[in-house]
Amino acid sequence: MAIRDILVHLSEDPRNGAKTDMALQIAQRDGAHVTALYTLPPPQHLFYMGEYVPPEFYQRQIDEARAAAKKAKAEFEAAAARQGVVAEWVESERMPVDAIETYGRAFDLLVLGQPDPDPENPVLVPSGMDVLPHDISLRAGRPILAVPYAGSYPVVGRRVMVAWNGSREATRAVHDALPFLTKAEHVTIYCINADRSRGTPGAELARHLARHGVKVEVSNTVVDDIEAGEALLSAVSDRSIDLLVMGAYGHSRLREVVFGGVTETILSSMTVPVLLSN
Amino acid sequence: MATAAYRDIAIHLGVDAGSELPAQLGYAAALAAGCEAHLCGLFNRPCLPMIRHYIPPEVIERHKAECERAAVKARQLFDAAAQAEGIATEWYDMPGSALETVLVQARASDLLLLSGVVPGDKTARDYDRETLADEVVLALGRPILLLPGAPKPGLPKTILIGWNGSREAARAVHDAMPLLQRATQVTILCVDPEGQRGLPGAELARHLSRQDVAAELLVHAGRDRDAGSILLQTAQDRKADLLVMGAYGHGRIRETVLGGATAYMLGKMELPVLFSH
């Protein structure tokens, strides 16, 4: 399936430019539309000023938020025009997680920012933002492309690595990543403890991907579950990978405690974009 | 223009296959031919349950012979169906439960075909096909196509999407994209338009148009628990030959589509259903 419809989440965030560039880069390659979903920050309530808060205080917050949105919109539209990509702009006052989860269901790919683990002004970060990509990947039913909180990524998807353990989640991720895999120069299936799980062997996946015209190399690794995240991160840097594809694991079941931890480890320390799916 | 494609279609065949098997294999082969996909047959030989750690040798022998007979018959029917359509195939004959076999093999495919419950078919002595479909759709990570007794072969022309704006419905629609892009008529039926969390069907129609799928939008202001019967009724009215919908957790396939009178209707309508979770 080709990517025709991309959603990028923007907010009062210094990373808007990086996220926009990522979405436009993919849109240009695949001939897709890009829709920006801008979430306005909810007004901050003051708890220390006694009983009366002047209405001007809230009004000023709202005005500032609108001004920031206007500026972001101008920047987004200018960037899209430069790249010749058809772009749309949508604003929402809902909490980012809820807005993206619902609206994102009618898109092929959601481009989100991995939050800065050490933000400049933590008070201004809306709740739920710290686990945004992981959370959305569990709830939207669509693949997420998580952009790291630092750095720029002019090339994404030339050298792709698929983290494979034969699970349902990894199966989802690899199929959602097919539009990237079919265009990649090099694809590695990185099997983690494949012999220990009862899931689908990497060789079977390689056969299947070959049918889709994807040439792959299979690599097998055996590590302690607890070190799976570290092993993955070093494999990514050793092989000059520019896109990592992996399943997103929830937190509810025991099995997922281990892999859910891997998801967070990767997301918080990754240096390349990650395609996440559940 | 179709940009999405199935390249590997799998079908599960059990030892309990009934008289509907040739028709289902014919459907599978025609689907694979229409999609230019490989067809992969997954046959499993179940183990006997242990009773007090002892099974009389003659029971084991009989079970083995039955499995062998079923395997040979299934393989013959599979090969015949494939030959009729001239498609490339693979055959996996594995020991173990149906669930294990399917979970290991079908993750490396694009779509899994499963036999649904055939009402009134006395030859089908399945241990529990509904349970299998339920468990597989939740654990597989691929869409499943549940087949009625004798589906009409060929690519589905008229497709009905059951849409309630949920994560699962979004999954089902995207997983069905290769079929949607090849259909002549696609209808989105919104069965829970008042649901606050879901996405309106109009947004889905806009999105599908970007994927070169022109869809018609129908809104039914019914309550969620009626969704199954509304869907099936609409499918019948529109003469749909495929229903696409999300699967929502344990037991729900059975409740919404396969339960009671609905199962009877499904059998009558010969309507395959694509489920995804």
Side-chain angles (χ1 to χ4, degrees):
Chain A
M1 198 173 102
I3 296 173
R4 291 273 181 265
D5 217 4
I6 301 173
L7 185 76
V8 57
H9 171 241
L10 305 179
S11 58
E12 274 194 55
D13 177 4
R15 295 294 287 167
N16 281 351
K19 287 183 279 187
T20 303
D21 289 348
M22 179 73 72
L24 292 175
Q25 179 193 147
I26 300 161
Q28 210 174 28
R29 192 190 61 191
D30 284 33
H33 289 64
V34 175
T35 302
L37 174 62
Y38 188 94
T39 50
L40 292 152
Q44 301 294 315
H45 294 286
L46 289 185
F47 299 106
Y48 311 111
M49 283 180 73
E51 280 147 28
Y52 179 72
V53 179
E56 298 81 23
F57 175 81
Y58 288 115
Q59 195 53 50
R60 206 183 76 197
Q61 280 194 25
I62 292 167
D63 292 345
E64 281 173 3
R66 296 260 169 226
K70 208 175 155 192
K71 183 163 162 274
K73 183 182 180 189
E75 284 168 2
F76 169 74
E77 284 174 347
R82 267 200 306 279
Q83 306 281 333
V85 172
V86 182
E88 273 173 52
W89 180 266
V90 178
E91 282 176 25
S92 173
E93 292 183 359
R94 296 171 70 187
M95 292 303 285
V97 176
D98 296 331
I100 304 166
E101 176 197 348
T102 311
Y103 197 63
R105 287 188 184 128
F107 287 87
D108 297 318
L109 181 71
L110 316 183
V111 178
L112 307 179
Q114 174 62 16
D116 189 342
D118 187 20
E120 215 169 276
N121 197 344
V123 181
L124 295 180
V125 178
S127 71
M129 288 296 276
D130 50 337
V131 289
L132 189 78
H134 189 191
D135 215 13
I136 298 287
S137 69
L138 299 179
R139 291 161 62 174
R142 304 305 309 136
I144 307 302
L145 188 64
V147 183
Y149 62 87
S152 66
Y153 304 90
V155 175
V156 63
R158 192 176 289 169
R159 293 180 61 83
V160 185
M161 190 161 94
V162 176
W164 182 253
N165 61 0
S167 66
R168 184 188 82 79
E169 292 81 359
T171 303
R172 271 292 172 209
V174 77
H175 284 92
D176 283 343
L178 273 174
F180 288 96
L181 300 181
T182 51
K183 294 183 190 76
E185 281 173 15
H186 194 268
V187 177
T188 305
I189 300 173
Y190 189 75
C191 301
I192 304 161
N193 299 338
D195 55 334
R196 244 186 274 168
S197 73
R198 302 200 310 170
T200 309
E204 282 296 312
L205 179 68
R207 174 197 58 71
H208 174 51
L209 290 179
R211 295 263 161 83
H212 281 276
V214 181
K215 283 197 203 77
V216 296
E217 169 214 347
V218 181
S219 155
N220 285 294
T221 308
V222 178
V223 288
D224 285 341
D225 281 342
I226 205 107
E227 290 163 3
E230 292 299 325
L232 209 50
L233 281 172
S234 62
V236 163
S237 72
D238 291 351
R239 291 156 191 260
S240 330
I241 297 300
D242 56 31
L243 175 67
L244 175 65
V245 174
M246 62 183 277
Y249 300 85
H251 295 295
S252 54
R253 283 175 291 164
L254 186 61
R255 180 176 77 85
E256 293 186 335
V257 171
V258 175
F259 290 113
V262 174
T263 312
E264 288 299 336
T265 310
I266 296 296
L267 284 177
S268 59
S269 39
M270 70 175 171
T271 50
V272 298
V274 178
L275 190 133
L276 271 180
S277 208
N278 173 276
Chain B
M1 192 183 64
T3 56
Y6 296 140
R7 290 284 172 251
D8 268 316
I9 295 178
I11 181 167
H12 172 254
L13 306 107
V15 289
D16 58 357
S19 58
E20 75 277 16
L21 186 62
Q24 294 180 339
L25 283 170
Y27 181 88
L31 189 69
C35 295
E36 296 172 52
H38 285 238
L39 185 65
C40 175
L42 306 178
F43 184 86
N44 75 296
R45 303 183 183 219
C47 306
L48 281 173
M50 291 292 270
I51 305 159
R52 292 169 190 246
H53 307 288
Y54 176 74
I55 303 175
E58 59 273 21
V59 173
I60 297 177
E61 283 310 313
R62 201 170 61 217
H63 175 72
K64 275 189 181 164
E66 258 181 58
C67 283
E68 182 59 31
R69 223 177 8 251
V72 169
K73 185 186 158 208
R75 181 73 199 262
Q76 275 171 356
L77 292 171
F78 179 81
D79 286 346
Q83 214 159 25
E85 294 287 348
I87 51 167
T89 61
E90 269 163 55
W91 181 259
Y92 290 87
D93 186 342
M94 299 167 80
S97 75
L99 185 65
E100 284 167 353
T101 304
V102 162
L103 288 189
V104 169
Q105 282 304 329
R107 282 185 178 140
S109 70
D110 298 304
L111 177 70
L112 172 68
L113 274 54
L114 285 178
S115 173
V117 177
V118 181
D121 186 350
K122 297 283 183 273
T123 58
R125 51 184 181 85
D126 50 272
Y127 76 100
D128 199 344
R129 288 190 199 170
E130 304 167 41
T131 311
L132 178 67
D134 262 348
E135 290 184 359
V136 168
V137 75
L138 295 186
L140 186 63
R142 303 307 309 136
I144 66 166
L145 189 60
L146 211 53
L147 299 176
K152 191 178 72 194
L155 278 178
K157 291 191 176 61
T158 308
I159 302 181
L160 180 67
I161 298 170
W163 180 255
N164 64 356
S166 65
R167 185 189 86 83
E168 291 79 5
R171 270 291 174 209
V173 168
H174 287 93
D175 285 345
M177 203 61 88
L179 298 176
L180 296 174
Q181 289 180 340
R182 287 165 177 80
T184 47
Q185 200 195 343
V186 176
T187 304
I188 302 167
L189 177 63
C190 301
V191 282
D192 185 23
E194 285 156 60
Q196 292 300 303
R197 294 182 65 79
L199 182 78
E203 283 294 328
L204 178 67
R206 175 203 59 75
H207 172 55
L208 285 180
S209 73
R210 300 244 165 104
Q211 288 286 354
D212 305 313
V213 176
E216 171 202 14
L217 190 63
L218 279 181
V219 178
H220 191 284
R223 278 173 304 174
D224 191 38
R225 73 188 165 87
D226 300 320
S229 54
I230 294 161
L231 274 173
L232 288 176
Q233 188 59 52
T234 311
Q236 200 168 37
D237 294 347
R238 304 240 147 194
K239 299 189 170 53
D241 37 28
L242 178 70
L243 177 59
V244 173
M245 61 183 287
Y248 299 95
H250 282 290
R252 288 298 291 275
I253 289 183
R254 225 170 325 184
E255 283 167 27
T256 54
V257 176
L258 295 181
T262 339
Y264 174 78
M265 212 169 145
L266 240 191
K268 282 270 182 206
M269 287 173 52
E270 302 181 349
L271 178 73
V273 185
L274 187 142
F275 283 107
S276 205
H277 176 74

Short mmCIF file of all heavy atoms in Angstrom, two decimals, chain A residues 244-270:
data_model
loop_
_atom_site.label_atom_id
_atom_site.label_comp_id
_atom_site.label_asym_id
_atom_site.label_seq_id
_atom_site.Cartn_x
_atom_site.Cartn_y
_atom_site.Cartn_z
N LEU A 244 14.07 2.51 12.01
CA LEU A 244 13.86 1.27 12.76
C LEU A 244 12.37 0.96 12.77
O LEU A 244 11.55 1.85 13.02
CB LEU A 244 14.39 1.44 14.19
CG LEU A 244 14.14 0.26 15.15
CD1 LEU A 244 14.91 -0.97 14.70
CD2 LEU A 244 14.57 0.64 16.57
N VAL A 245 12.02 -0.30 12.49
CA VAL A 245 10.62 -0.72 12.48
C VAL A 245 10.41 -1.68 13.64
O VAL A 245 11.13 -2.68 13.74
CB VAL A 245 10.27 -1.43 11.15
CG1 VAL A 245 8.86 -2.00 11.20
CG2 VAL A 245 10.42 -0.47 9.98
N MET A 246 9.49 -1.37 14.53
CA MET A 246 9.27 -2.29 15.65
C MET A 246 7.83 -2.27 16.15
O MET A 246 7.10 -1.30 15.95
CB MET A 246 10.24 -1.99 16.80
CG MET A 246 10.09 -0.61 17.41
SD MET A 246 11.33 -0.33 18.68
CE MET A 246 10.54 -1.14 20.06
N GLY A 247 7.43 -3.36 16.78
CA GLY A 247 6.11 -3.45 17.38
C GLY A 247 6.07 -2.61 18.64
O GLY A 247 7.07 -2.46 19.34
N ALA A 248 4.90 -2.04 18.92
CA ALA A 248 4.71 -1.29 20.17
C ALA A 248 3.96 -2.21 21.13
O ALA A 248 2.91 -2.73 20.78
CB ALA A 248 3.92 -0.03 19.91
N TYR A 249 4.51 -2.41 22.29
CA TYR A 249 3.91 -3.33 23.25
C TYR A 249 3.25 -2.57 24.37
O TYR A 249 3.81 -1.61 24.88
CB TYR A 249 4.98 -4.28 23.80
CG TYR A 249 5.60 -5.10 22.71
CD1 TYR A 249 6.67 -4.61 21.97
CD2 TYR A 249 5.06 -6.34 22.36
CE1 TYR A 249 7.22 -5.33 20.93
CE2 TYR A 249 5.60 -7.07 21.33
CZ TYR A 249 6.68 -6.56 20.61
OH TYR A 249 7.21 -7.28 19.58
N GLY A 250 2.07 -3.01 24.75
CA GLY A 250 1.35 -2.35 25.83
C GLY A 250 1.95 -2.72 27.17
O GLY A 250 3.00 -3.35 27.25
N HIS A 251 1.26 -2.34 28.21
CA HIS A 251 1.80 -2.59 29.55
C HIS A 251 0.98 -3.59 30.33
O HIS A 251 1.31 -3.91 31.46
CB HIS A 251 1.84 -1.29 30.34
CG HIS A 251 2.79 -0.30 29.77
ND1 HIS A 251 4.15 -0.52 29.74
CD2 HIS A 251 2.59 0.90 29.19
CE1 HIS A 251 4.74 0.52 29.17
NE2 HIS A 251 3.81 1.39 28.82
N SER A 252 -0.10 -4.11 29.74
CA SER A 252 -1.05 -4.82 30.57
C SER A 252 -0.60 -6.22 30.95
O SER A 252 -0.74 -6.64 32.07
CB SER A 252 -2.40 -4.88 29.86
OG SER A 252 -2.24 -5.43 28.58
N ARG A 253 -0.04 -6.95 30.00
CA ARG A 253 0.23 -8.35 30.30
C ARG A 253 1.68 -8.57 30.71
O ARG A 253 2.56 -7.80 30.36
CB ARG A 253 -0.11 -9.22 29.09
CG ARG A 253 -1.61 -9.42 28.96
CD ARG A 253 -1.94 -10.17 27.71
NE ARG A 253 -1.66 -9.36 26.53
CZ ARG A 253 -1.56 -9.87 25.31
NH1 ARG A 253 -1.66 -11.15 25.13
NH2 ARG A 253 -1.34 -9.08 24.29
N LEU A 254 1.91 -9.66 31.37
CA LEU A 254 3.25 -9.95 31.90
C LEU A 254 4.29 -9.98 30.79
O LEU A 254 5.35 -9.38 30.88
CB LEU A 254 3.20 -11.30 32.63
CG LEU A 254 4.50 -11.66 33.35
CD1 LEU A 254 4.83 -10.64 34.41
CD2 LEU A 254 4.38 -13.04 33.98
N ARG A 255 3.93 -10.68 29.71
CA ARG A 255 4.84 -10.79 28.57
C ARG A 255 5.22 -9.40 28.07
O ARG A 255 6.33 -9.16 27.62
CB ARG A 255 4.11 -11.56 27.47
CG ARG A 255 4.88 -11.79 26.21
CD ARG A 255 4.04 -12.65 25.29
NE ARG A 255 2.99 -11.91 24.63
CZ ARG A 255 3.17 -11.23 23.50
NH1 ARG A 255 4.34 -11.20 22.94
NH2 ARG A 255 2.18 -10.59 22.95
N GLU A 256 4.25 -8.50 28.18
CA GLU A 256 4.46 -7.18 27.59
C GLU A 256 5.22 -6.25 28.53
O GLU A 256 5.68 -5.21 28.11
CB GLU A 256 3.11 -6.58 27.20
CG GLU A 256 2.49 -7.36 26.06
CD GLU A 256 1.23 -6.73 25.52
OE1 GLU A 256 0.58 -6.01 26.27
OE2 GLU A 256 0.92 -7.00 24.36
N VAL A 257 5.31 -6.63 29.79
CA VAL A 257 6.09 -5.81 30.70
C VAL A 257 7.52 -5.74 30.18
O VAL A 257 8.13 -4.68 30.11
CB VAL A 257 6.06 -6.40 32.13
CG1 VAL A 257 7.05 -5.67 33.01
CG2 VAL A 257 4.67 -6.29 32.70
N VAL A 258 8.01 -6.90 29.75
CA VAL A 258 9.37 -6.97 29.24
C VAL A 258 9.52 -6.16 27.96
O VAL A 258 10.35 -5.27 27.85
CB VAL A 258 9.76 -8.44 28.98
CG1 VAL A 258 11.13 -8.52 28.34
CG2 VAL A 258 9.73 -9.21 30.28
N PHE A 259 8.64 -6.45 26.97
CA PHE A 259 8.78 -5.78 25.69
C PHE A 259 8.30 -4.34 25.75
O PHE A 259 8.81 -3.49 25.04
CB PHE A 259 8.03 -6.55 24.60
CG PHE A 259 8.70 -7.85 24.26
CD1 PHE A 259 8.10 -9.04 24.56
CD2 PHE A 259 9.95 -7.84 23.69
CE1 PHE A 259 8.74 -10.23 24.26
CE2 PHE A 259 10.59 -9.03 23.40
CZ PHE A 259 9.98 -10.23 23.68
N GLY A 260 7.30 -4.08 26.60
CA GLY A 260 6.86 -2.71 26.80
C GLY A 260 8.02 -1.86 27.26
O GLY A 260 8.20 -0.72 26.84
N GLY A 261 8.85 -2.44 28.14
CA GLY A 261 10.05 -1.76 28.60
C GLY A 261 11.00 -1.48 27.44
O GLY A 261 11.60 -0.42 27.36
N VAL A 262 11.08 -2.45 26.52
CA VAL A 262 11.94 -2.25 25.35
C VAL A 262 11.45 -1.07 24.53
O VAL A 262 12.24 -0.23 24.11
CB VAL A 262 11.97 -3.52 24.47
CG1 VAL A 262 12.74 -3.26 23.18
CG2 VAL A 262 12.61 -4.66 25.23
N THR A 263 10.14 -0.99 24.33
CA THR A 263 9.59 0.12 23.55
C THR A 263 10.04 1.45 24.13
O THR A 263 10.52 2.33 23.41
CB THR A 263 8.05 0.07 23.54
OG1 THR A 263 7.63 -1.26 23.23
CG2 THR A 263 7.48 1.01 22.51
N GLU A 264 9.91 1.59 25.46
CA GLU A 264 10.28 2.86 26.10
C GLU A 264 11.78 3.10 26.03
O GLU A 264 12.21 4.23 25.82
CB GLU A 264 9.78 2.89 27.55
CG GLU A 264 8.27 3.04 27.67
CD GLU A 264 7.75 4.35 27.06
OE1 GLU A 264 8.51 5.32 26.96
OE2 GLU A 264 6.56 4.37 26.68
N THR A 265 12.58 2.03 26.24
CA THR A 265 14.03 2.19 26.16
C THR A 265 14.43 2.73 24.80
O THR A 265 15.21 3.69 24.70
CB THR A 265 14.75 0.82 26.34
OG1 THR A 265 14.22 0.19 27.49
CG2 THR A 265 16.24 1.00 26.47
N ILE A 266 13.88 2.11 23.75
CA ILE A 266 14.23 2.52 22.40
C ILE A 266 13.79 3.96 22.15
O ILE A 266 14.58 4.78 21.67
CB ILE A 266 13.53 1.60 21.36
CG1 ILE A 266 14.01 0.17 21.48
CG2 ILE A 266 13.76 2.11 19.94
CD1 ILE A 266 15.44 -0.01 21.18
N LEU A 267 12.56 4.24 22.52
CA LEU A 267 12.03 5.56 22.20
C LEU A 267 12.78 6.66 22.92
O LEU A 267 13.01 7.73 22.37
CB LEU A 267 10.54 5.63 22.53
CG LEU A 267 9.64 4.92 21.54
CD1 LEU A 267 8.20 4.98 22.00
CD2 LEU A 267 9.77 5.54 20.16
N SER A 268 13.15 6.40 24.18
CA SER A 268 13.77 7.48 24.94
C SER A 268 15.23 7.66 24.57
O SER A 268 15.80 8.72 24.81
CB SER A 268 13.62 7.22 26.44
OG SER A 268 14.24 6.00 26.75
N SER A 269 15.87 6.66 23.98
CA SER A 269 17.30 6.82 23.68
C SER A 269 17.61 6.68 22.19
O SER A 269 18.76 6.61 21.81
CB SER A 269 18.10 5.81 24.48
OG SER A 269 17.44 4.57 24.54
N MET A 270 16.59 6.65 21.37
CA MET A 270 16.85 6.41 19.95
C MET A 270 17.45 7.62 19.27
O MET A 270 17.21 8.76 19.65
CB MET A 270 15.57 6.03 19.24
CG MET A 270 14.62 7.19 19.13
SD MET A 270 13.19 6.73 18.17
CE MET A 270 12.17 8.16 18.45
#
